[in-house]
């Protein structure tokens, strides 16, 4: 069974990796920190974040985290 947070993110149409990145964004990690934690480039982190912002129709990381937490998209 999916955890509640995963169901919310799945409902927004985010991929597993996008959910993972946004979870770390929600924890307050920076792009370099996320990059190191996941073993991916900073450019890839930014690509995942930008894809999430587009999917959620928001312009900032804070708005995306808020929208996912509030389940409003």
């Amino acid at each position: 069974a999916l955890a509640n947070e995963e169901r919310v993110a799945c409902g927004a149409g985010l991929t597993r990796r996008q959910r993972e990145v946004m979870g770390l964004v929600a924890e307050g990690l920076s792009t370099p920190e996320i990059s190191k934690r996941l073993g991916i480039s900073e450019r890839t982190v930014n690509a995942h974040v930008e894809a999430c912002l587009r999917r959620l129709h928001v312009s900032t990381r804070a708005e995306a985290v808020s929208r996912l937490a509030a389940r409003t998209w």
Side-chain angles (χ1 to χ4, degrees):
L2 291 175
N4 190 44
E5 296 81 19
E6 288 188 68
R7 272 192 236 107
V8 170
C10 286
L14 302 182
T15 67
R16 180 191 60 77
R17 185 60 115 183
Q18 289 168 343
R19 292 191 307 269
E20 196 171 15
V21 168
M22 291 310 297
L24 296 174
V25 168
E27 290 179 25
L29 273 66
S30 67
T31 296
E33 292 168 328
I34 295 169
S35 171
K36 287 178 184 171
R37 175 90 56 100
L38 299 180
I40 59 178
S41 73
E42 290 181 28
R43 184 174 177 176
T44 300
V45 171
N46 286 329
H48 285 307
V49 171
E50 289 301 318
C52 293
L53 297 181
R54 283 191 306 275
R55 172 106 31 207
L56 297 169
H57 307 289
V58 296
S59 57
T60 68
R61 291 173 180 224
E63 287 175 309
V65 169
S66 177
R67 184 156 292 183
L68 286 170
R71 304 179 201 176
T72 58
W73 53 82

PDB file of all heavy atoms in Angstrom, residues 21-56:
ATOM      1  N   VAL A  21      12.452  13.553  -4.920  1.00  0.00           N
ATOM      2  CA  VAL A  21      13.083  14.873  -4.932  1.00  0.00           C
ATOM      3  C   VAL A  21      12.234  15.872  -4.153  1.00  0.00           C
ATOM      4  O   VAL A  21      12.739  16.618  -3.309  1.00  0.00           O
ATOM      5  CB  VAL A  21      13.335  15.356  -6.377  1.00  0.00           C
ATOM      6  CG1 VAL A  21      13.719  16.829  -6.403  1.00  0.00           C
ATOM      7  CG2 VAL A  21      14.412  14.508  -7.042  1.00  0.00           C
ATOM      8  N   MET A  22      10.930  15.879  -4.389  1.00  0.00           N
ATOM      9  CA  MET A  22      10.065  16.842  -3.706  1.00  0.00           C
ATOM     10  C   MET A  22      10.004  16.560  -2.204  1.00  0.00           C
ATOM     11  O   MET A  22       9.873  17.489  -1.409  1.00  0.00           O
ATOM     12  CB  MET A  22       8.662  16.851  -4.316  1.00  0.00           C
ATOM     13  CG  MET A  22       8.611  17.431  -5.722  1.00  0.00           C
ATOM     14  SD  MET A  22       9.431  19.038  -5.904  1.00  0.00           S
ATOM     15  CE  MET A  22       8.452  20.058  -4.816  1.00  0.00           C
ATOM     16  N   GLY A  23      10.129  15.313  -1.806  1.00  0.00           N
ATOM     17  CA  GLY A  23      10.182  14.991  -0.393  1.00  0.00           C
ATOM     18  C   GLY A  23      11.404  15.619   0.264  1.00  0.00           C
ATOM     19  O   GLY A  23      11.326  16.146   1.376  1.00  0.00           O
ATOM     20  N   LEU A  24      12.530  15.589  -0.449  1.00  0.00           N
ATOM     21  CA  LEU A  24      13.753  16.195   0.081  1.00  0.00           C
ATOM     22  C   LEU A  24      13.666  17.717   0.056  1.00  0.00           C
ATOM     23  O   LEU A  24      14.164  18.386   0.967  1.00  0.00           O
ATOM     24  CB  LEU A  24      14.971  15.678  -0.693  1.00  0.00           C
ATOM     25  CG  LEU A  24      15.217  14.176  -0.550  1.00  0.00           C
ATOM     26  CD1 LEU A  24      16.339  13.718  -1.463  1.00  0.00           C
ATOM     27  CD2 LEU A  24      15.503  13.802   0.894  1.00  0.00           C
ATOM     28  N   VAL A  25      13.015  18.264  -0.967  1.00  0.00           N
ATOM     29  CA  VAL A  25      12.768  19.710  -1.007  1.00  0.00           C
ATOM     30  C   VAL A  25      11.941  20.094   0.218  1.00  0.00           C
ATOM     31  O   VAL A  25      12.231  21.078   0.902  1.00  0.00           O
ATOM     32  CB  VAL A  25      12.050  20.125  -2.311  1.00  0.00           C
ATOM     33  CG1 VAL A  25      11.529  21.554  -2.222  1.00  0.00           C
ATOM     34  CG2 VAL A  25      12.983  19.969  -3.516  1.00  0.00           C
ATOM     35  N   ALA A  26      10.916  19.292   0.509  1.00  0.00           N
ATOM     36  CA  ALA A  26      10.047  19.565   1.662  1.00  0.00           C
ATOM     37  C   ALA A  26      10.815  19.511   2.978  1.00  0.00           C
ATOM     38  O   ALA A  26      10.463  20.204   3.930  1.00  0.00           O
ATOM     39  CB  ALA A  26       8.883  18.576   1.685  1.00  0.00           C
ATOM     40  N   GLU A  27      11.870  18.700   3.020  1.00  0.00           N
ATOM     41  CA  GLU A  27      12.713  18.622   4.214  1.00  0.00           C
ATOM     42  C   GLU A  27      13.655  19.806   4.319  1.00  0.00           C
ATOM     43  O   GLU A  27      14.359  19.964   5.318  1.00  0.00           O
ATOM     44  CB  GLU A  27      13.531  17.322   4.212  1.00  0.00           C
ATOM     45  CG  GLU A  27      12.703  16.078   4.439  1.00  0.00           C
ATOM     46  CD  GLU A  27      13.548  14.813   4.413  1.00  0.00           C
ATOM     47  OE1 GLU A  27      14.771  14.889   4.699  1.00  0.00           O
ATOM     48  OE2 GLU A  27      13.000  13.754   4.115  1.00  0.00           O
ATOM     49  N   GLY A  28      13.698  20.633   3.274  1.00  0.00           N
ATOM     50  CA  GLY A  28      14.538  21.821   3.291  1.00  0.00           C
ATOM     51  C   GLY A  28      15.916  21.650   2.690  1.00  0.00           C
ATOM     52  O   GLY A  28      16.769  22.531   2.817  1.00  0.00           O
ATOM     53  N   LEU A  29      16.153  20.520   2.008  1.00  0.00           N
ATOM     54  CA  LEU A  29      17.463  20.300   1.410  1.00  0.00           C
ATOM     55  C   LEU A  29      17.643  21.180   0.176  1.00  0.00           C
ATOM     56  O   LEU A  29      16.686  21.444  -0.556  1.00  0.00           O
ATOM     57  CB  LEU A  29      17.646  18.834   1.014  1.00  0.00           C
ATOM     58  CG  LEU A  29      18.170  17.906   2.102  1.00  0.00           C
ATOM     59  CD1 LEU A  29      17.184  17.759   3.234  1.00  0.00           C
ATOM     60  CD2 LEU A  29      18.513  16.558   1.521  1.00  0.00           C
ATOM     61  N   SER A  30      18.879  21.600  -0.054  1.00  0.00           N
ATOM     62  CA  SER A  30      19.230  22.394  -1.229  1.00  0.00           C
ATOM     63  C   SER A  30      19.469  21.467  -2.422  1.00  0.00           C
ATOM     64  O   SER A  30      19.594  20.244  -2.259  1.00  0.00           O
ATOM     65  CB  SER A  30      20.497  23.196  -0.960  1.00  0.00           C
ATOM     66  OG  SER A  30      21.605  22.314  -0.827  1.00  0.00           O
ATOM     67  N   THR A  31      19.578  22.067  -3.589  1.00  0.00           N
ATOM     68  CA  THR A  31      19.866  21.273  -4.787  1.00  0.00           C
ATOM     69  C   THR A  31      21.146  20.462  -4.632  1.00  0.00           C
ATOM     70  O   THR A  31      21.144  19.256  -4.908  1.00  0.00           O
ATOM     71  CB  THR A  31      19.922  22.182  -6.031  1.00  0.00           C
ATOM     72  OG1 THR A  31      18.620  22.745  -6.233  1.00  0.00           O
ATOM     73  CG2 THR A  31      20.342  21.418  -7.279  1.00  0.00           C
ATOM     74  N   PRO A  32      22.268  21.060  -4.181  1.00  0.00           N
ATOM     75  CA  PRO A  32      23.485  20.245  -4.009  1.00  0.00           C
ATOM     76  C   PRO A  32      23.304  19.114  -2.994  1.00  0.00           C
ATOM     77  O   PRO A  32      23.828  18.005  -3.184  1.00  0.00           O
ATOM     78  CB  PRO A  32      24.529  21.257  -3.523  1.00  0.00           C
ATOM     79  CG  PRO A  32      24.033  22.582  -3.990  1.00  0.00           C
ATOM     80  CD  PRO A  32      22.535  22.486  -3.953  1.00  0.00           C
ATOM     81  N   GLU A  33      22.564  19.368  -1.929  1.00  0.00           N
ATOM     82  CA  GLU A  33      22.329  18.326  -0.921  1.00  0.00           C
ATOM     83  C   GLU A  33      21.491  17.190  -1.490  1.00  0.00           C
ATOM     84  O   GLU A  33      21.771  16.012  -1.236  1.00  0.00           O
ATOM     85  CB  GLU A  33      21.639  18.924   0.307  1.00  0.00           C
ATOM     86  CG  GLU A  33      22.522  19.870   1.099  1.00  0.00           C
ATOM     87  CD  GLU A  33      21.779  20.680   2.137  1.00  0.00           C
ATOM     88  OE1 GLU A  33      20.588  21.012   1.927  1.00  0.00           O
ATOM     89  OE2 GLU A  33      22.400  20.999   3.162  1.00  0.00           O
ATOM     90  N   ILE A  34      20.461  17.537  -2.252  1.00  0.00           N
ATOM     91  CA  ILE A  34      19.623  16.509  -2.884  1.00  0.00           C
ATOM     92  C   ILE A  34      20.455  15.703  -3.870  1.00  0.00           C
ATOM     93  O   ILE A  34      20.367  14.474  -3.926  1.00  0.00           O
ATOM     94  CB  ILE A  34      18.396  17.143  -3.570  1.00  0.00           C
ATOM     95  CG1 ILE A  34      17.484  17.791  -2.521  1.00  0.00           C
ATOM     96  CG2 ILE A  34      17.628  16.099  -4.386  1.00  0.00           C
ATOM     97  CD1 ILE A  34      16.383  18.665  -3.103  1.00  0.00           C
ATOM     98  N   SER A  35      21.271  16.391  -4.643  1.00  0.00           N
ATOM     99  CA  SER A  35      22.142  15.747  -5.622  1.00  0.00           C
ATOM    100  C   SER A  35      23.030  14.700  -4.957  1.00  0.00           C
ATOM    101  O   SER A  35      23.119  13.558  -5.421  1.00  0.00           O
ATOM    102  CB  SER A  35      22.997  16.818  -6.309  1.00  0.00           C
ATOM    103  OG  SER A  35      23.983  16.245  -7.108  1.00  0.00           O
ATOM    104  N   LYS A  36      23.660  15.079  -3.868  1.00  0.00           N
ATOM    105  CA  LYS A  36      24.541  14.149  -3.157  1.00  0.00           C
ATOM    106  C   LYS A  36      23.756  13.001  -2.542  1.00  0.00           C
ATOM    107  O   LYS A  36      24.175  11.845  -2.604  1.00  0.00           O
ATOM    108  CB  LYS A  36      25.323  14.890  -2.072  1.00  0.00           C
ATOM    109  CG  LYS A  36      26.404  15.772  -2.628  1.00  0.00           C
ATOM    110  CD  LYS A  36      27.125  16.534  -1.541  1.00  0.00           C
ATOM    111  CE  LYS A  36      28.132  17.481  -2.180  1.00  0.00           C
ATOM    112  NZ  LYS A  36      28.710  18.408  -1.207  1.00  0.00           N
ATOM    113  N   ARG A  37      22.616  13.307  -1.940  1.00  0.00           N
ATOM    114  CA  ARG A  37      21.801  12.281  -1.279  1.00  0.00           C
ATOM    115  C   ARG A  37      21.341  11.219  -2.279  1.00  0.00           C
ATOM    116  O   ARG A  37      21.334  10.030  -1.979  1.00  0.00           O
ATOM    117  CB  ARG A  37      20.601  12.947  -0.617  1.00  0.00           C
ATOM    118  CG  ARG A  37      19.589  12.018   0.002  1.00  0.00           C
ATOM    119  CD  ARG A  37      19.830  11.649   1.455  1.00  0.00           C
ATOM    120  NE  ARG A  37      19.946  12.750   2.367  1.00  0.00           N
ATOM    121  CZ  ARG A  37      18.992  13.193   3.164  1.00  0.00           C
ATOM    122  NH1 ARG A  37      17.794  12.617   3.143  1.00  0.00           N
ATOM    123  NH2 ARG A  37      19.218  14.189   3.989  1.00  0.00           N
ATOM    124  N   LEU A  38      20.923  11.661  -3.475  1.00  0.00           N
ATOM    125  CA  LEU A  38      20.368  10.723  -4.458  1.00  0.00           C
ATOM    126  C   LEU A  38      21.396  10.208  -5.463  1.00  0.00           C
ATOM    127  O   LEU A  38      21.088   9.324  -6.259  1.00  0.00           O
ATOM    128  CB  LEU A  38      19.202  11.386  -5.204  1.00  0.00           C
ATOM    129  CG  LEU A  38      18.013  11.807  -4.338  1.00  0.00           C
ATOM    130  CD1 LEU A  38      16.943  12.457  -5.203  1.00  0.00           C
ATOM    131  CD2 LEU A  38      17.449  10.624  -3.575  1.00  0.00           C
ATOM    132  N   GLY A  39      22.582  10.782  -5.447  1.00  0.00           N
ATOM    133  CA  GLY A  39      23.611  10.347  -6.392  1.00  0.00           C
ATOM    134  C   GLY A  39      23.299  10.735  -7.829  1.00  0.00           C
ATOM    135  O   GLY A  39      23.598   9.981  -8.759  1.00  0.00           O
ATOM    136  N   ILE A  40      22.682  11.906  -7.996  1.00  0.00           N
ATOM    137  CA  ILE A  40      22.375  12.418  -9.333  1.00  0.00           C
ATOM    138  C   ILE A  40      22.946  13.824  -9.452  1.00  0.00           C
ATOM    139  O   ILE A  40      23.297  14.443  -8.445  1.00  0.00           O
ATOM    140  CB  ILE A  40      20.850  12.427  -9.619  1.00  0.00           C
ATOM    141  CG1 ILE A  40      20.096  13.287  -8.601  1.00  0.00           C
ATOM    142  CG2 ILE A  40      20.306  10.992  -9.619  1.00  0.00           C
ATOM    143  CD1 ILE A  40      18.587  13.384  -8.851  1.00  0.00           C
ATOM    144  N   SER A  41      23.052  14.331 -10.667  1.00  0.00           N
ATOM    145  CA  SER A  41      23.627  15.659 -10.856  1.00  0.00           C
ATOM    146  C   SER A  41      22.662  16.748 -10.383  1.00  0.00           C
ATOM    147  O   SER A  41      21.448  16.539 -10.308  1.00  0.00           O
ATOM    148  CB  SER A  41      23.968  15.884 -12.332  1.00  0.00           C
ATOM    149  OG  SER A  41      22.789  16.082 -13.084  1.00  0.00           O
ATOM    150  N   GLU A  42      23.227  17.908 -10.092  1.00  0.00           N
ATOM    151  CA  GLU A  42      22.395  19.044  -9.720  1.00  0.00           C
ATOM    152  C   GLU A  42      21.469  19.429 -10.865  1.00  0.00           C
ATOM    153  O   GLU A  42      20.323  19.829 -10.641  1.00  0.00           O
ATOM    154  CB  GLU A  42      23.268  20.233  -9.312  1.00  0.00           C
ATOM    155  CG  GLU A  42      23.984  20.005  -7.997  1.00  0.00           C
ATOM    156  CD  GLU A  42      24.837  21.169  -7.567  1.00  0.00           C
ATOM    157  OE1 GLU A  42      24.517  22.326  -7.929  1.00  0.00           O
ATOM    158  OE2 GLU A  42      25.832  20.933  -6.857  1.00  0.00           O
ATOM    159  N   ARG A  43      21.958  19.282 -12.071  1.00  0.00           N
ATOM    160  CA  ARG A  43      21.131  19.588 -13.243  1.00  0.00           C
ATOM    161  C   ARG A  43      19.905  18.669 -13.291  1.00  0.00           C
ATOM    162  O   ARG A  43      18.796  19.110 -13.595  1.00  0.00           O
ATOM    163  CB  ARG A  43      21.973  19.428 -14.511  1.00  0.00           C
ATOM    164  CG  ARG A  43      21.263  19.802 -15.769  1.00  0.00           C
ATOM    165  CD  ARG A  43      22.207  19.757 -16.939  1.00  0.00           C
ATOM    166  NE  ARG A  43      21.488  20.062 -18.159  1.00  0.00           N
ATOM    167  CZ  ARG A  43      22.042  20.180 -19.329  1.00  0.00           C
ATOM    168  NH1 ARG A  43      23.353  20.042 -19.457  1.00  0.00           N
ATOM    169  NH2 ARG A  43      21.323  20.437 -20.389  1.00  0.00           N
ATOM    170  N   THR A  44      20.096  17.407 -12.962  1.00  0.00           N
ATOM    171  CA  THR A  44      18.985  16.459 -12.949  1.00  0.00           C
ATOM    172  C   THR A  44      18.006  16.792 -11.828  1.00  0.00           C
ATOM    173  O   THR A  44      16.785  16.722 -12.021  1.00  0.00           O
ATOM    174  CB  THR A  44      19.508  15.014 -12.817  1.00  0.00           C
ATOM    175  OG1 THR A  44      20.369  14.742 -13.933  1.00  0.00           O
ATOM    176  CG2 THR A  44      18.374  14.007 -12.783  1.00  0.00           C
ATOM    177  N   VAL A  45      18.524  17.169 -10.668  1.00  0.00           N
ATOM    178  CA  VAL A  45      17.646  17.598  -9.574  1.00  0.00           C
ATOM    179  C   VAL A  45      16.784  18.757 -10.048  1.00  0.00           C
ATOM    180  O   VAL A  45      15.555  18.750  -9.885  1.00  0.00           O
ATOM    181  CB  VAL A  45      18.454  18.015  -8.320  1.00  0.00           C
ATOM    182  CG1 VAL A  45      17.538  18.660  -7.283  1.00  0.00           C
ATOM    183  CG2 VAL A  45      19.192  16.830  -7.727  1.00  0.00           C
ATOM    184  N   ASN A  46      17.418  19.760 -10.645  1.00  0.00           N
ATOM    185  CA  ASN A  46      16.671  20.922 -11.120  1.00  0.00           C
ATOM    186  C   ASN A  46      15.643  20.549 -12.182  1.00  0.00           C
ATOM    187  O   ASN A  46      14.544  21.105 -12.208  1.00  0.00           O
ATOM    188  CB  ASN A  46      17.623  22.001 -11.632  1.00  0.00           C
ATOM    189  CG  ASN A  46      18.334  22.709 -10.512  1.00  0.00           C
ATOM    190  OD1 ASN A  46      17.799  22.861  -9.419  1.00  0.00           O
ATOM    191  ND2 ASN A  46      19.555  23.136 -10.757  1.00  0.00           N
ATOM    192  N   ALA A  47      15.975  19.595 -13.039  1.00  0.00           N
ATOM    193  CA  ALA A  47      15.020  19.148 -14.065  1.00  0.00           C
ATOM    194  C   ALA A  47      13.801  18.504 -13.409  1.00  0.00           C
ATOM    195  O   ALA A  47      12.659  18.754 -13.829  1.00  0.00           O
ATOM    196  CB  ALA A  47      15.696  18.169 -15.027  1.00  0.00           C
ATOM    197  N   HIS A  48      14.020  17.701 -12.386  1.00  0.00           N
ATOM    198  CA  HIS A  48      12.899  17.076 -11.669  1.00  0.00           C
ATOM    199  C   HIS A  48      12.041  18.135 -10.986  1.00  0.00           C
ATOM    200  O   HIS A  48      10.812  18.090 -11.052  1.00  0.00           O
ATOM    201  CB  HIS A  48      13.399  16.067 -10.632  1.00  0.00           C
ATOM    202  CG  HIS A  48      13.886  14.783 -11.214  1.00  0.00           C
ATOM    203  ND1 HIS A  48      13.144  14.016 -12.078  1.00  0.00           N
ATOM    204  CD2 HIS A  48      15.055  14.115 -11.024  1.00  0.00           C
ATOM    205  CE1 HIS A  48      13.836  12.938 -12.412  1.00  0.00           C
ATOM    206  NE2 HIS A  48      14.989  12.976 -11.792  1.00  0.00           N
ATOM    207  N   VAL A  49      12.688  19.098 -10.338  1.00  0.00           N
ATOM    208  CA  VAL A  49      11.940  20.154  -9.660  1.00  0.00           C
ATOM    209  C   VAL A  49      11.129  20.958 -10.671  1.00  0.00           C
ATOM    210  O   VAL A  49       9.940  21.215 -10.450  1.00  0.00           O
ATOM    211  CB  VAL A  49      12.877  21.079  -8.844  1.00  0.00           C
ATOM    212  CG1 VAL A  49      12.128  22.300  -8.329  1.00  0.00           C
ATOM    213  CG2 VAL A  49      13.502  20.308  -7.687  1.00  0.00           C
ATOM    214  N   GLU A  50      11.731  21.339 -11.772  1.00  0.00           N
ATOM    215  CA  GLU A  50      11.022  22.117 -12.794  1.00  0.00           C
ATOM    216  C   GLU A  50       9.827  21.335 -13.351  1.00  0.00           C
ATOM    217  O   GLU A  50       8.757  21.921 -13.579  1.00  0.00           O
ATOM    218  CB  GLU A  50      11.970  22.527 -13.925  1.00  0.00           C
ATOM    219  CG  GLU A  50      12.973  23.588 -13.512  1.00  0.00           C
ATOM    220  CD  GLU A  50      12.313  24.873 -13.027  1.00  0.00           C
ATOM    221  OE1 GLU A  50      11.325  25.320 -13.636  1.00  0.00           O
ATOM    222  OE2 GLU A  50      12.789  25.424 -12.018  1.00  0.00           O
ATOM    223  N   ALA A  51       9.999  20.043 -13.557  1.00  0.00           N
ATOM    224  CA  ALA A  51       8.884  19.217 -14.046  1.00  0.00           C
ATOM    225  C   ALA A  51       7.744  19.209 -13.036  1.00  0.00           C
ATOM    226  O   ALA A  51       6.563  19.286 -13.405  1.00  0.00           O
ATOM    227  CB  ALA A  51       9.368  17.797 -14.332  1.00  0.00           C
ATOM    228  N   CYS A  52       8.093  19.135 -11.760  1.00  0.00           N
ATOM    229  CA  CYS A  52       7.069  19.158 -10.698  1.00  0.00           C
ATOM    230  C   CYS A  52       6.348  20.495 -10.667  1.00  0.00           C
ATOM    231  O   CYS A  52       5.116  20.541 -10.538  1.00  0.00           O
ATOM    232  CB  CYS A  52       7.699  18.884  -9.337  1.00  0.00           C
ATOM    233  SG  CYS A  52       8.337  17.208  -9.152  1.00  0.00           S
ATOM    234  N   LEU A  53       7.100  21.571 -10.782  1.00  0.00           N
ATOM    235  CA  LEU A  53       6.489  22.905 -10.768  1.00  0.00           C
ATOM    236  C   LEU A  53       5.488  23.038 -11.911  1.00  0.00           C
ATOM    237  O   LEU A  53       4.378  23.551 -11.712  1.00  0.00           O
ATOM    238  CB  LEU A  53       7.556  23.994 -10.870  1.00  0.00           C
ATOM    239  CG  LEU A  53       8.579  24.085  -9.733  1.00  0.00           C
ATOM    240  CD1 LEU A  53       9.549  25.241  -9.986  1.00  0.00           C
ATOM    241  CD2 LEU A  53       7.924  24.226  -8.385  1.00  0.00           C
ATOM    242  N   ARG A  54       5.882  22.587 -13.099  1.00  0.00           N
ATOM    243  CA  ARG A  54       4.964  22.648 -14.254  1.00  0.00           C
ATOM    244  C   ARG A  54       3.724  21.800 -14.014  1.00  0.00           C
ATOM    245  O   ARG A  54       2.602  22.241 -14.258  1.00  0.00           O
ATOM    246  CB  ARG A  54       5.676  22.177 -15.526  1.00  0.00           C
ATOM    247  CG  ARG A  54       6.612  23.197 -16.120  1.00  0.00           C
ATOM    248  CD  ARG A  54       7.079  22.791 -17.519  1.00  0.00           C
ATOM    249  NE  ARG A  54       7.670  21.457 -17.558  1.00  0.00           N
ATOM    250  CZ  ARG A  54       8.934  21.193 -17.290  1.00  0.00           C
ATOM    251  NH1 ARG A  54       9.772  22.160 -16.952  1.00  0.00           N
ATOM    252  NH2 ARG A  54       9.394  19.954 -17.358  1.00  0.00           N
ATOM    253  N   ARG A  55       3.916  20.589 -13.533  1.00  0.00           N
ATOM    254  CA  ARG A  55       2.800  19.671 -13.315  1.00  0.00           C
ATOM    255  C   ARG A  55       1.818  20.224 -12.280  1.00  0.00           C
ATOM    256  O   ARG A  55       0.615  20.036 -12.393  1.00  0.00           O
ATOM    257  CB  ARG A  55       3.339  18.309 -12.878  1.00  0.00           C
ATOM    258  CG  ARG A  55       2.298  17.337 -12.453  1.00  0.00           C
ATOM    259  CD  ARG A  55       1.974  16.220 -13.366  1.00  0.00           C
ATOM    260  NE  ARG A  55       3.058  15.762 -14.180  1.00  0.00           N
ATOM    261  CZ  ARG A  55       2.856  15.180 -15.353  1.00  0.00           C
ATOM    262  NH1 ARG A  55       1.636  14.999 -15.803  1.00  0.00           N
ATOM    263  NH2 ARG A  55       3.850  14.763 -16.065  1.00  0.00           N
ATOM    264  N   LEU A  56       2.354  20.898 -11.275  1.00  0.00           N
ATOM    265  CA  LEU A  56       1.520  21.431 -10.190  1.00  0.00           C
ATOM    266  C   LEU A  56       1.027  22.851 -10.463  1.00  0.00           C
ATOM    267  O   LEU A  56       0.287  23.412  -9.658  1.00  0.00           O
ATOM    268  CB  LEU A  56       2.296  21.389  -8.875  1.00  0.00           C
ATOM    269  CG  LEU A  56       2.675  19.991  -8.393  1.00  0.00           C
ATOM    270  CD1 LEU A  56       3.671  20.077  -7.245  1.00  0.00           C
ATOM    271  CD2 LEU A  56       1.435  19.205  -7.979  1.00  0.00           C
TER     272      LEU A  56
END
